[in-house]
Amino acid sequence: MSSEINLQRRHFFGLAAMTMAAVEFGLSSAAAAKAAAPAVKAGSHASFAAVKRIKAGELNVGYAEVGPANGAVVLLLHGWPYDIYSFVDVAPVLADAGYRVLIPYLRGHGTTEFISADTPRNGQQAAIATDIIAFMDALKVERAVIGGYDWGGRTADILAAIWPERCKALVSVSGYLIGSQEANKKPLSPEAELSWWYQFYFATERGREGYAANTHDFAKLIWKLASPQWDFDDATFDRSAKAFENPDHVAITIHNYRWRLGLVDGERKYDELEKRLAAFPVITVPTITMEGDANGAPHPNPSAYAKKFTGRYEHRTISGGIGHNLPQEAPQAFAQAVLDVDRF
């Protein structure tokens, strides 16, 4: 089912608005009243109360935690080049609904650091997904509703596909993002290849040096290209740009994109997991996929991945000039999706 939501028109106020939402999403008005997220405007919140740290696998993971300690867990995963502040407006909405919201910095971002200097600075998809399982284990989280976009969306998809017992339900921006080196060997159309310009830049030593020298400006350019209608201010970007000062950020970024093209090896310990991912496993847990109507980053058409979700499934396209960083640009729509999918 597709749902068009214009966040520039704040219709979700009061009982009448909940009834409208019920019609739009195919719910009864009673169910909508129970599940409707309160109105939240993008940019309403500027910080988390605190960022914690915990040893998990190969990492000391920095993470934000919002909401009651005994609440059902929602795990939110950010993308590149972004950080935990993508969810700064989403988290309070979910916390007010009684959820314990956990938002970790991915490896190479923010306050997440490697425990050992000898650990390979590996950005392959299996390594990042394994990090999140270790993070859940460290916090003794058996099961969570998991949501994400970009790198975080891919990671959320992997967790739902490979460890469905750990994923109660899924919200994935841009849908099914699991990849493989073999699939990435296939050339795309010239227009599609153009949209991946930075991947090819990173494949060169000039690109690695350029990203290291100009990380702040490079990331800001990606934000503008990926969300061409998002009028973010310097303070919003600079708050997240601090996450790119992580000492391993450049190494993880470059390895991630080079690994995708088969230009560098991953770690042998992930070979079996990558083999399973290369078979593009279906996702059986309840899922809502989302897409912004103004996403300027490479992304698949929803029709291309709908059949990869074999449990209860719904797709929502969010209108109003929403780009790639959907949770930060459209926090109410993302929070609503989390609330709804948990009730599937």
Side-chain angles (χ1 to χ4, degrees), residues 1 25 35 64 82 86 127 132 175 209 225 240 248 257-258 264 311 334:
M1 181 184 304
F25 295 126
Y82 305 94
S86 291
I132 302 305
E209 292 180 359
L225 295 175
S240 289
D248 300 304
Y257 287 102
R258 290 182 179 181
V264 295
F334 191 88

Side-chain angles (χ1 to χ4, degrees), residues 21-72:
V23 173
E24 187 173 14
F25 295 126
L27 303 170
S28 69
S29 57
K34 181 179 179 181
V40 58
K41 183 179 179 180
S44 297
H45 302 84
S47 64
F48 294 102
V51 176
K52 305 178 179 181
R53 296 185 78 185
I54 190 169
K55 288 186 177 181
E58 298 176 338
L59 304 171
N60 271 319
V61 179
Y63 68 100
E65 180 172 352
V66 183
N70 62 348

